[in-house]
Amino acid sequence: FTLAKGITVIVDGDVDDYARKGLSGDTIVVKLRQKVIEAGFVQEDNIIVGNSSLYGATSGEVFFRGGGVKQFCVRNSDALAIVEGVRDHCSEYLTGGN
């Protein structure tokens, strides 16, 4: 999905591959639904964001309360990304992001 600069979205659930590809100024928070947490699902021990998320991000912020998989935040040029952990190829070709 694409959002305008300055928009903040909170997602209760998880996100699939290519989530926020081309992030450009918005803020995204992804966390699990409360009923899933109450059922015993531990967010920081599980993947909640798919492959190639934040590919080519240029600005903005994302906060993932859980892990990411392959190619997380590749070609990030100035975005802030917080995630509980990632797999292979995280932040390749980083040119200024955090």
Side-chain angles (χ1 to χ4, degrees):
F1 51 93
T2 301
L3 300 171
K5 191 173 217 172
I7 299 291
T8 298
V9 173
I10 298 173
V11 177
D12 285 335
D14 55 9
V15 290
D16 207 353
D17 296 351
Y18 295 100
R20 288 313 297 127
K21 180 180 177 184
L23 179 76
S24 59
D26 47 297
T27 299
I28 306 296
V29 177
V30 179
K31 59 187 182 62
L32 293 176
R33 289 181 289 276
Q34 190 60 37
K35 69 179 185 177
V36 173
I37 296 166
E38 290 169 359
F41 195 86
V42 181
Q43 295 182 97
E44 59 270 21
D45 291 341
N46 292 280
I47 301 299
I48 67 163
V49 59
N51 291 311
S52 300
S53 294
L54 300 176
Y55 187 94
T58 59
S59 63
E61 301 173 328
V62 294
F63 303 94
F64 295 115
R65 184 68 167 93
V69 290
K70 290 184 177 183
Q71 298 174 327
F72 180 82
C73 213
V74 171
R75 296 187 185 268
N76 177 10
S77 62
D78 201 24
L80 172 70
I82 306 295
V83 65
E84 297 285 339
V86 293
R87 301 280 171 90
D88 298 336
H89 311 294
C90 171
S91 298
E92 287 182 335
Y93 314 111
L94 187 65
T95 59
N98 299 298

Coordinates of all heavy atoms in Angstrom, one line a residue:
F1 N 0.8 -1.2 0.0 CA 0.0 0.0 0.0 C 0.9 1.2 0.0 O 2.0 1.2 0.5 CB -1.0 0.0 1.2 CG -0.3 -0.3 2.5 CD1 0.1 0.8 3.3 CD2 -0.1 -1.6 3.0 CE1 0.7 0.6 4.6 CE2 0.4 -1.8 4.2 CZ 0.8 -0.7 5.0
T2 N 0.4 2.3 -0.6 CA 1.1 3.6 -0.6 C 0.4 4.6 0.1 O -0.8 4.8 0.0 CB 1.3 4.0 -2.1 OG1 1.9 3.0 -2.8 CG2 2.0 5.3 -2.2
L3 N 1.1 5.4 0.9 CA 0.5 6.4 1.8 C 1.2 7.8 1.5 O 2.3 7.9 1.1 CB 0.6 6.1 3.2 CG 0.0 4.8 3.7 CD1 0.4 4.4 5.1 CD2 -1.5 4.9 3.5
A4 N 0.4 8.9 1.8 CA 1.0 10.2 1.7 C 1.9 10.5 2.8 O 1.8 10.0 3.9 CB -0.2 11.2 1.6
K5 N 2.8 11.4 2.6 CA 3.8 11.8 3.6 C 3.0 12.4 4.8 O 2.0 13.1 4.7 CB 4.7 12.9 3.1 CG 5.8 13.3 3.9 CD 6.7 14.2 3.2 CE 8.2 13.9 3.6 NZ 9.1 14.6 2.8
G6 N 3.4 12.0 6.0 CA 2.8 12.4 7.3 C 1.7 11.6 7.8 O 1.2 11.8 8.9
I7 N 1.2 10.6 7.1 CA 0.2 9.7 7.5 C 0.8 8.6 8.4 O 1.8 8.1 8.2 CB -0.5 8.9 6.3 CG1 -1.1 9.9 5.3 CG2 -1.5 7.9 6.7 CD1 -2.3 10.6 5.9
T8 N 0.0 8.3 9.5 CA 0.4 7.2 10.4 C -0.6 6.1 10.4 O -1.8 6.4 10.5 CB 0.6 7.7 11.8 OG1 1.6 8.7 11.9 CG2 1.0 6.6 12.8
V9 N -0.2 4.9 10.2 CA -1.1 3.7 10.2 C -0.6 2.7 11.2 O 0.6 2.4 11.3 CB -1.2 3.1 8.8 CG1 -2.0 1.8 8.8 CG2 -1.8 4.0 7.8
I10 N -1.6 2.2 12.0 CA -1.3 1.1 12.9 C -2.0 -0.2 12.5 O -3.2 -0.1 12.3 CB -1.7 1.5 14.4 CG1 -0.9 2.7 14.8 CG2 -1.5 0.3 15.3 CD1 -1.4 3.3 16.2
V11 N -1.2 -1.2 12.2 CA -1.8 -2.5 11.7 C -1.8 -3.5 12.8 O -0.8 -3.8 13.4 CB -0.9 -3.0 10.5 CG1 -1.5 -4.3 10.1 CG2 -0.9 -2.0 9.4
D12 N -3.0 -3.9 13.2 CA -3.1 -5.0 14.2 C -3.2 -6.3 13.4 O -4.2 -6.7 12.9 CB -4.4 -4.9 15.0 CG -4.3 -3.8 16.0 OD1 -3.2 -3.5 16.4 OD2 -5.3 -3.2 16.4
G13 N -2.0 -7.0 13.3 CA -1.9 -8.2 12.5 C -0.5 -8.4 12.0 O 0.4 -8.0 12.6
D14 N -0.4 -9.0 10.8 CA 1.0 -9.1 10.2 C 0.9 -8.5 8.8 O -0.2 -8.2 8.3 CB 1.5 -10.5 10.3 CG 0.5 -11.5 9.6 OD1 -0.5 -11.1 9.0 OD2 0.8 -12.7 9.8
V15 N 2.0 -8.4 8.2 CA 2.0 -7.9 6.8 C 2.8 -8.8 5.9 O 3.7 -9.5 6.4 CB 2.6 -6.5 6.7 CG1 1.7 -5.4 7.3 CG2 4.0 -6.3 7.4
D16 N 2.5 -8.9 4.6 CA 3.0 -9.8 3.7 C 4.3 -9.3 3.0 O 4.8 -8.2 3.3 CB 1.9 -10.2 2.7 CG 2.1 -11.6 2.1 OD1 3.1 -12.2 2.3 OD2 1.2 -12.0 1.3
D17 N 4.8 -10.0 2.0 CA 5.9 -9.6 1.2 C 5.8 -8.2 0.6 O 4.7 -7.8 0.3 CB 6.2 -10.6 0.1 CG 6.5 -12.0 0.6 OD1 6.8 -12.1 1.8 OD2 6.6 -12.9 -0.2
Y18 N 6.9 -7.5 0.5 CA 6.9 -6.2 -0.1 C 6.2 -5.1 0.7 O 5.8 -4.1 0.1 CB 6.5 -6.2 -1.5 CG 7.4 -7.0 -2.4 CD1 7.1 -8.3 -2.8 CD2 8.7 -6.5 -2.8 CE1 8.0 -9.0 -3.6 CE2 9.5 -7.2 -3.6 CZ 9.2 -8.5 -4.0 OH 10.0 -9.2 -4.7
A19 N 5.9 -5.3 2.0 CA 5.2 -4.3 2.8 C 6.0 -3.0 2.8 O 7.2 -3.0 3.0 CB 5.0 -4.8 4.2
R20 N 5.3 -1.9 2.4 CA 5.9 -0.6 2.4 C 7.1 -0.5 1.5 O 8.1 0.2 1.8 CB 6.2 -0.1 3.8 CG 4.9 0.3 4.5 CD 3.9 1.1 3.7 NE 4.4 2.4 3.4 CZ 4.4 2.9 2.1 NH1 3.9 2.2 1.1 NH2 4.9 4.1 1.9
K21 N 7.1 -1.2 0.4 CA 8.1 -1.0 -0.7 C 8.0 0.5 -1.1 O 6.9 1.0 -1.4 CB 7.8 -1.9 -1.9 CG 8.8 -1.8 -3.0 CD 8.5 -2.7 -4.1 CE 9.4 -2.5 -5.2 NZ 9.1 -3.3 -6.4
G22 N 9.1 1.1 -1.1 CA 9.2 2.5 -1.5 C 8.6 3.5 -0.4 O 8.1 4.6 -0.7
L23 N 8.7 3.1 0.8 CA 8.3 4.0 1.9 C 8.8 5.4 1.7 O 10.0 5.6 1.4 CB 8.9 3.5 3.2 CG 8.5 4.2 4.5 CD1 7.1 4.0 4.9 CD2 9.5 3.8 5.6
S24 N 7.9 6.4 1.8 CA 8.3 7.8 1.5 C 7.7 8.8 2.4 O 7.0 9.7 1.9 CB 8.0 8.1 0.0 OG 6.6 7.9 -0.2
G25 N 7.9 8.7 3.7 CA 7.5 9.8 4.6 C 6.4 9.4 5.5 O 6.1 10.2 6.4
D26 N 5.7 8.3 5.4 CA 4.7 7.9 6.3 C 5.2 7.1 7.5 O 6.4 6.8 7.5 CB 3.6 7.1 5.6 CG 4.1 6.0 4.7 OD1 4.8 6.4 3.7 OD2 3.8 4.9 5.0
T27 N 4.4 6.8 8.5 CA 4.8 6.0 9.6 C 3.9 4.8 9.7 O 2.7 5.0 9.7 CB 4.7 6.8 10.9 OG1 5.6 7.9 10.8 CG2 5.1 6.0 12.1
I28 N 4.5 3.6 9.9 CA 3.7 2.4 10.0 C 4.1 1.7 11.3 O 5.3 1.5 11.5 CB 4.0 1.4 8.8 CG1 3.7 2.1 7.4 CG2 3.1 0.2 8.9 CD1 2.3 2.6 7.2
V29 N 3.1 1.2 12.0 CA 3.3 0.4 13.2 C 2.6 -0.9 13.0 O 1.4 -0.9 12.6 CB 2.8 1.1 14.5 CG1 3.0 0.2 15.7 CG2 3.4 2.4 14.7
V30 N 3.3 -2.1 13.1 CA 2.7 -3.4 12.9 C 2.9 -4.2 14.2 O 4.0 -4.4 14.7 CB 3.3 -4.1 11.7 CG1 2.7 -5.5 11.6 CG2 3.2 -3.3 10.4
K31 N 1.8 -4.6 14.7 CA 1.8 -5.5 15.9 C 0.6 -6.5 15.8 O -0.3 -6.3 15.1 CB 1.7 -4.6 17.2 CG 0.4 -3.8 17.2 CD 0.4 -2.8 18.4 CE -0.9 -2.0 18.5 NZ -2.1 -2.8 18.7
L32 N 0.7 -7.5 16.6 CA -0.3 -8.5 16.6 C -1.6 -8.1 17.3 O -1.5 -7.2 18.2 CB 0.2 -9.8 17.1 CG 1.3 -10.5 16.3 CD1 1.8 -11.7 17.1 CD2 0.8 -10.9 15.0
R33 N -2.7 -8.7 16.9 CA -4.0 -8.4 17.6 C -3.8 -8.9 19.1 O -3.2 -9.9 19.4 CB -5.1 -9.1 16.9 CG -5.5 -8.5 15.6 CD -6.6 -9.3 14.9 NE -6.3 -10.6 14.5 CZ -5.7 -10.8 13.3 NH1 -5.4 -9.9 12.5 NH2 -5.4 -12.1 13.0
Q34 N -4.5 -8.2 20.0 CA -4.4 -8.5 21.4 C -4.9 -9.9 21.7 O -4.3 -10.6 22.5 CB -5.2 -7.4 22.2 CG -5.1 -7.5 23.7 CD -3.6 -7.3 24.1 OE1 -2.9 -6.5 23.5 NE2 -3.2 -8.0 25.1
K35 N -5.9 -10.4 21.0 CA -6.4 -11.7 21.3 C -5.4 -12.8 21.0 O -5.3 -13.8 21.6 CB -7.8 -12.0 20.6 CG -7.7 -12.1 19.1 CD -9.1 -12.4 18.6 CE -9.0 -12.6 17.1 NZ -10.3 -12.9 16.5
V36 N -4.6 -12.5 20.0 CA -3.5 -13.5 19.6 C -2.4 -13.5 20.7 O -1.9 -14.5 21.1 CB -2.9 -13.1 18.2 CG1 -1.7 -14.0 17.9 CG2 -4.0 -13.2 17.1
I37 N -2.1 -12.3 21.2 CA -1.1 -12.2 22.3 C -1.6 -12.9 23.5 O -0.9 -13.7 24.2 CB -0.8 -10.7 22.5 CG1 -0.1 -10.1 21.3 CG2 0.2 -10.6 23.7 CD1 0.0 -8.6 21.3
E38 N -2.9 -12.7 23.8 CA -3.5 -13.3 25.0 C -3.5 -14.8 24.9 O -3.5 -15.5 25.9 CB -4.8 -12.7 25.3 CG -4.8 -11.3 25.7 CD -6.2 -10.6 25.8 OE1 -7.2 -11.3 25.4 OE2 -6.2 -9.4 26.1
A39 N -3.5 -15.3 23.7 CA -3.6 -16.8 23.5 C -2.2 -17.4 23.6 O -2.0 -18.6 23.5 CB -4.1 -17.1 22.1
G40 N -1.1 -16.5 23.9 CA 0.2 -17.1 24.1 C 1.2 -16.9 23.0 O 2.3 -17.3 23.1
F41 N 0.8 -16.2 21.9 CA 1.7 -16.0 20.8 C 2.7 -14.9 21.2 O 2.3 -13.8 21.5 CB 0.9 -15.6 19.6 CG 1.7 -15.6 18.3 CD1 1.7 -16.8 17.6 CD2 2.3 -14.5 17.8 CE1 2.4 -16.9 16.3 CE2 3.0 -14.6 16.6 CZ 3.0 -15.7 15.9
V42 N 4.0 -15.2 21.2 CA 5.0 -14.2 21.6 C 5.5 -13.5 20.3 O 6.2 -14.0 19.4 CB 6.2 -14.9 22.3 CG1 7.3 -13.9 22.7 CG2 5.7 -15.7 23.5
Q43 N 5.2 -12.2 20.3 CA 5.5 -11.4 19.1 C 7.0 -11.4 18.7 O 7.4 -11.6 17.5 CB 5.1 -9.9 19.3 CG 3.6 -9.8 19.4 CD 3.2 -8.4 19.5 OE1 2.8 -7.8 18.6 NE2 3.2 -7.9 20.7
E44 N 7.9 -11.2 19.6 CA 9.3 -11.0 19.3 C 10.0 -12.4 18.9 O 11.1 -12.4 18.4 CB 10.1 -10.4 20.5 CG 10.0 -11.1 21.8 CD 8.9 -10.7 22.6 OE1 7.9 -10.1 22.2 OE2 8.9 -10.9 23.9
D45 N 9.3 -13.5 19.1 CA 9.8 -14.8 18.7 C 9.3 -15.3 17.4 O 9.6 -16.4 17.0 CB 9.5 -15.8 19.8 CG 10.2 -15.6 21.1 OD1 11.2 -14.9 21.1 OD2 9.7 -16.1 22.1
N46 N 8.5 -14.4 16.7 CA 7.8 -14.9 15.5 C 7.9 -13.8 14.4 O 8.1 -12.6 14.6 CB 6.4 -15.2 15.8 CG 6.2 -16.4 16.6 OD1 6.3 -17.5 16.2 ND2 6.1 -16.1 17.9
I47 N 7.8 -14.3 13.1 CA 7.9 -13.4 12.0 C 6.5 -12.7 11.8 O 5.5 -13.4 11.7 CB 8.2 -14.2 10.7 CG1 9.6 -14.9 10.9 CG2 8.2 -13.4 9.5 CD1 10.8 -14.0 11.1
I48 N 6.5 -11.4 11.6 CA 5.3 -10.7 11.3 C 5.3 -9.8 10.1 O 4.4 -9.2 9.7 CB 4.8 -9.9 12.5 CG1 5.7 -8.7 12.8 CG2 4.6 -10.7 13.7 CD1 5.1 -7.6 13.6
V49 N 6.5 -9.8 9.4 CA 6.6 -9.0 8.2 C 7.4 -9.9 7.1 O 8.3 -10.6 7.4 CB 7.4 -7.7 8.5 CG1 8.8 -7.9 9.1 CG2 7.5 -6.8 7.2
G50 N 6.8 -9.8 5.9 CA 7.3 -10.7 4.8 C 8.6 -10.3 4.1 O 9.2 -9.2 4.5
N51 N 9.0 -11.0 3.1 CA 10.2 -10.8 2.4 C 10.2 -9.4 1.7 O 9.1 -8.9 1.2 CB 10.4 -11.9 1.3 CG 10.7 -13.2 1.9 OD1 11.6 -13.3 2.7 ND2 10.0 -14.2 1.4
S52 N 11.4 -8.8 1.5 CA 11.6 -7.6 0.7 C 10.8 -6.4 1.2 O 10.5 -5.5 0.5 CB 11.3 -7.9 -0.7 OG 12.2 -8.9 -1.2
S53 N 10.4 -6.4 2.5 CA 9.7 -5.3 3.0 C 10.7 -4.1 3.1 O 11.8 -4.2 3.4 CB 9.2 -5.6 4.4 OG 8.2 -6.6 4.3
L54 N 10.1 -2.9 2.9 CA 10.8 -1.6 2.9 C 11.9 -1.5 1.8 O 12.8 -0.7 1.8 CB 11.5 -1.4 4.2 CG 10.6 -1.3 5.4 CD1 11.4 -1.2 6.7 CD2 9.6 -0.2 5.3
Y55 N 11.8 -2.3 0.7 CA 12.7 -2.2 -0.4 C 12.7 -0.8 -1.0 O 11.6 -0.3 -1.4 CB 12.3 -3.3 -1.4 CG 13.3 -3.4 -2.6 CD1 14.4 -4.3 -2.5 CD2 13.3 -2.6 -3.7 CE1 15.3 -4.5 -3.5 CE2 14.3 -2.7 -4.7 CZ 15.3 -3.6 -4.6 OH 16.2 -3.7 -5.5
G56 N 13.8 -0.2 -1.1 CA 13.9 1.2 -1.7 C 13.3 2.3 -0.9 O 12.9 3.3 -1.5
A57 N 13.2 2.1 0.4 CA 12.6 3.2 1.2 C 13.4 4.5 1.1 O 14.7 4.4 1.1 CB 12.5 2.7 2.7
T58 N 12.8 5.6 1.1 CA 13.5 6.9 1.0 C 13.3 7.8 2.2 O 14.1 8.7 2.4 CB 13.1 7.7 -0.3 OG1 11.7 7.9 -0.2 CG2 13.4 6.9 -1.5
S59 N 12.2 7.6 2.9 CA 12.0 8.4 4.2 C 10.8 7.8 4.9 O 10.1 6.9 4.4 CB 11.7 9.9 3.9 OG 10.6 10.0 3.1
G60 N 10.6 8.2 6.1 CA 9.5 7.6 6.9 C 10.1 6.7 8.0 O 11.3 6.6 8.2
E61 N 9.1 6.1 8.8 CA 9.4 5.3 9.9 C 8.5 4.0 9.9 O 7.4 4.1 9.6 CB 9.2 6.0 11.2 CG 10.0 7.3 11.4 CD 9.6 8.1 12.6 OE1 8.4 8.0 13.0 OE2 10.5 8.7 13.1
V62 N 9.1 2.9 10.3 CA 8.3 1.7 10.5 C 8.8 1.0 11.8 O 9.9 1.1 12.2 CB 8.4 0.7 9.4 CG1 7.9 1.2 8.1 CG2 9.9 0.2 9.2
F63 N 7.8 0.5 12.5 CA 8.0 -0.2 13.8 C 7.3 -1.5 13.7 O 6.1 -1.6 13.7 CB 7.5 0.7 14.9 CG 8.1 2.0 15.0 CD1 7.4 3.1 14.3 CD2 9.3 2.3 15.6 CE1 8.0 4.4 14.3 CE2 9.8 3.6 15.6 CZ 9.2 4.6 15.0
F64 N 8.1 -2.6 13.7 CA 7.5 -4.0 13.6 C 7.7 -4.7 14.9 O 8.9 -4.9 15.3 CB 8.2 -4.8 12.5 CG 7.9 -4.3 11.1 CD1 8.9 -3.8 10.3 CD2 6.6 -4.3 10.6 CE1 8.7 -3.3 9.1 CE2 6.4 -3.8 9.3 CZ 7.4 -3.3 8.6
R65 N 6.7 -5.0 15.6 CA 6.7 -5.7 16.9 C 6.8 -7.2 16.6 O 5.8 -8.0 16.8 CB 5.5 -5.4 17.8 CG 5.6 -6.0 19.2 CD 6.7 -5.4 20.0 NE 6.5 -5.7 21.4 CZ 7.1 -6.7 22.0 NH1 7.9 -7.5 21.3 NH2 6.9 -7.0 23.2
G66 N 7.9 -7.7 16.1 CA 8.1 -9.0 15.7 C 9.3 -9.1 14.7 O 9.9 -8.0 14.4
G67 N 9.5 -10.2 14.1 CA 10.7 -10.4 13.2 C 10.3 -10.2 11.7 O 9.2 -10.2 11.3
G68 N 11.4 -10.0 11.0 CA 11.3 -9.9 9.5 C 12.1 -11.0 8.9 O 12.9 -11.6 9.5
V69 N 11.8 -11.2 7.6 CA 12.5 -12.3 6.9 C 13.5 -11.7 5.9 O 14.0 -10.6 6.0 CB 11.5 -13.3 6.3 CG1 10.9 -14.1 7.3 CG2 10.5 -12.6 5.4
K70 N 13.8 -12.5 4.8 CA 14.9 -12.1 3.9 C 14.7 -10.7 3.3 O 13.6 -10.3 3.0 CB 15.0 -13.2 2.8 CG 15.6 -14.5 3.3 CD 15.7 -15.4 2.2 CE 16.3 -16.7 2.7 NZ 16.6 -17.6 1.6
Q71 N 15.8 -10.1 3.0 CA 15.9 -8.9 2.2 C 15.1 -7.7 2.9 O 14.5 -6.9 2.2 CB 15.5 -9.1 0.8 CG 16.4 -10.1 0.1 CD 15.9 -10.4 -1.3 OE1 14.8 -10.4 -1.6 NE2 16.9 -10.7 -2.2
F72 N 15.2 -7.6 4.2 CA 14.5 -6.6 4.9 C 15.2 -5.3 4.7 O 16.4 -5.2 5.0 CB 14.4 -6.9 6.4 CG 13.7 -5.9 7.2 CD1 12.3 -5.9 7.3 CD2 14.4 -5.0 7.9 CE1 11.7 -4.9 8.1 CE2 13.8 -4.0 8.7 CZ 12.4 -4.0 8.8
C73 N 14.5 -4.3 4.3 CA 15.1 -2.9 4.2 C 16.3 -2.7 3.2 O 17.2 -2.0 3.5 CB 15.4 -2.4 5.6 SG 15.2 -0.7 5.9
V74 N 16.2 -3.4 2.1 CA 17.3 -3.3 1.1 C 17.1 -2.0 0.3 O 16.0 -1.6 0.0 CB 17.2 -4.6 0.2 CG1 18.2 -4.4 -1.0 CG2 17.6 -5.8 1.0
R75 N 18.2 -1.4 0.0 CA 18.3 -0.1 -0.7 C 17.6 1.0 0.1 O 17.0 1.9 -0.5 CB 17.7 -0.3 -2.1 CG 18.5 -1.2 -3.0 CD 18.1 -1.2 -4.4 NE 18.8 -2.1 -5.2 CZ 19.9 -1.9 -5.9 NH1 20.4 -0.7 -5.9 NH2 20.4 -2.8 -6.6
N76 N 17.7 1.0 1.4 CA 17.1 2.1 2.2 C 18.0 3.3 2.1 O 19.2 3.2 2.3 CB 17.1 1.6 3.7 CG 16.6 2.6 4.7 OD1 16.1 3.7 4.3 ND2 16.7 2.3 5.9
S77 N 17.5 4.4 1.8 CA 18.3 5.6 1.7 C 18.1 6.6 2.8 O 18.9 7.5 3.0 CB 18.1 6.3 0.3 OG 16.8 6.7 0.1
D78 N 17.0 6.6 3.5 CA 16.9 7.5 4.6 C 15.6 7.2 5.5 O 15.0 8.2 6.0 CB 16.8 9.0 4.1 CG 17.2 10.0 5.2 OD1 17.9 9.6 6.2 OD2 16.7 11.1 5.1
A79 N 15.3 6.0 5.7 CA 14.1 5.6 6.5 C 14.6 5.0 7.8 O 15.7 4.5 7.9 CB 13.2 4.6 5.8
L80 N 13.8 5.1 8.8 CA 14.1 4.5 10.1 C 13.2 3.2 10.2 O 12.0 3.3 10.0 CB 13.7 5.4 11.3 CG 13.8 4.8 12.7 CD1 15.2 4.6 13.0 CD2 13.1 5.7 13.7
A81 N 13.9 2.1 10.5 CA 13.2 0.8 10.6 C 13.6 0.2 11.9 O 14.8 0.0 12.2 CB 13.6 -0.1 9.5
I82 N 12.6 -0.2 12.7 CA 12.8 -0.9 14.0 C 12.1 -2.3 13.9 O 10.9 -2.3 13.5 CB 12.2 -0.1 15.2 CG1 12.7 1.3 15.3 CG2 12.4 -0.9 16.5 CD1 14.2 1.4 15.5
V83 N 12.8 -3.3 14.1 CA 12.3 -4.7 14.0 C 12.9 -5.6 15.0 O 14.1 -5.3 15.4 CB 12.5 -5.2 12.5 CG1 13.9 -5.4 12.2 CG2 11.7 -6.5 12.3
E84 N 12.2 -6.6 15.5 CA 12.8 -7.5 16.5 C 14.0 -8.3 16.1 O 14.7 -8.8 16.9 CB 11.7 -8.4 17.1 CG 10.5 -7.6 17.7 CD 10.9 -7.1 19.1 OE1 11.8 -7.6 19.7 OE2 10.2 -6.2 19.5
G85 N 14.1 -8.6 14.8 CA 15.2 -9.4 14.3 C 14.9 -9.7 12.8 O 13.8 -9.5 12.3
V86 N 15.9 -10.0 12.0 CA 15.7 -10.3 10.6 C 16.6 -11.5 10.2 O 17.4 -12.0 10.9 CB 16.1 -9.1 9.7 CG1 15.2 -8.0 9.9 CG2 17.5 -8.7 10.0
R87 N 16.3 -12.0 9.0 CA 17.0 -13.1 8.4 C 18.1 -12.6 7.5 O 18.6 -11.5 7.6 CB 16.1 -14.1 7.7 CG 15.0 -14.6 8.6 CD 15.4 -15.8 9.4 NE 14.5 -16.2 10.4 CZ 13.5 -17.1 10.2 NH1 13.4 -17.7 9.1 NH2 12.7 -17.4 11.2
D88 N 18.5 -13.4 6.5 CA 19.5 -13.0 5.5 C 19.3 -11.8 4.8 O 18.2 -11.4 4.5 CB 19.7 -14.2 4.5 CG 20.1 -15.5 5.2 OD1 20.7 -15.4 6.3 OD2 19.8 -16.5 4.6
H89 N 20.4 -11.1 4.4 CA 20.4 -10.0 3.5 C 19.7 -8.7 4.0 O 19.1 -8.0 3.2 CB 19.8 -10.4 2.1 CG 20.4 -11.6 1.6 ND1 21.8 -11.7 1.2 CD2 19.9 -12.9 1.4 CE1 22.0 -13.0 0.8 NE2 20.9 -13.7 0.9
C90 N 19.8 -8.5 5.2 CA 19.2 -7.3 5.8 C 20.0 -6.1 5.5 O 21.2 -6.1 5.6 CB 19.1 -7.5 7.3 SG 18.6 -6.0 8.2
S91 N 19.4 -5.0 5.1 CA 20.0 -3.7 4.8 C 21.1 -3.7 3.8 O 22.0 -2.9 3.9 CB 20.5 -3.1 6.2 OG 19.4 -2.9 7.0
E92 N 21.0 -4.5 2.8 CA 22.0 -4.5 1.7 C 21.9 -3.1 1.0 O 20.8 -2.6 0.8 CB 21.8 -5.6 0.8 CG 22.2 -6.9 1.3 CD 22.0 -8.0 0.2 OE1 21.2 -7.9 -0.7 OE2 22.7 -9.1 0.3
Y93 N 23.0 -2.6 0.6 CA 23.0 -1.4 -0.2 C 22.5 -0.2 0.6 O 21.8 0.7 0.0 CB 22.3 -1.5 -1.6 CG 22.7 -2.8 -2.3 CD1 21.7 -3.8 -2.5 CD2 23.9 -3.0 -2.8 CE1 22.0 -4.9 -3.1 CE2 24.3 -4.1 -3.4 CZ 23.3 -5.1 -3.6 OH 23.6 -6.3 -4.3
L94 N 22.7 -0.2 1.9 CA 22.2 0.9 2.7 C 23.0 2.2 2.4 O 24.2 2.2 2.4 CB 22.4 0.5 4.2 CG 21.9 1.4 5.3 CD1 20.3 1.4 5.2 CD2 22.3 0.9 6.6
T95 N 22.2 3.2 2.1 CA 22.9 4.5 1.7 C 22.4 5.7 2.5 O 22.2 6.8 2.0 CB 22.6 4.8 0.2 OG1 21.2 4.9 0.0 CG2 23.1 3.7 -0.7
G96 N 22.2 5.5 3.8 CA 21.9 6.6 4.6 C 20.8 6.3 5.6 O 20.5 7.1 6.5
G97 N 20.1 5.2 5.5 CA 19.0 4.9 6.4 C 19.5 4.4 7.8 O 20.7 4.2 8.0
N98 N 18.5 4.3 8.7 CA 18.9 3.9 10.1 C 18.2 2.5 10.4 O 17.2 2.3 10.0 CB 18.4 4.9 11.1 CG 19.0 6.3 10.8 OD1 20.2 6.4 10.9 ND2 18.1 7.2 10.5

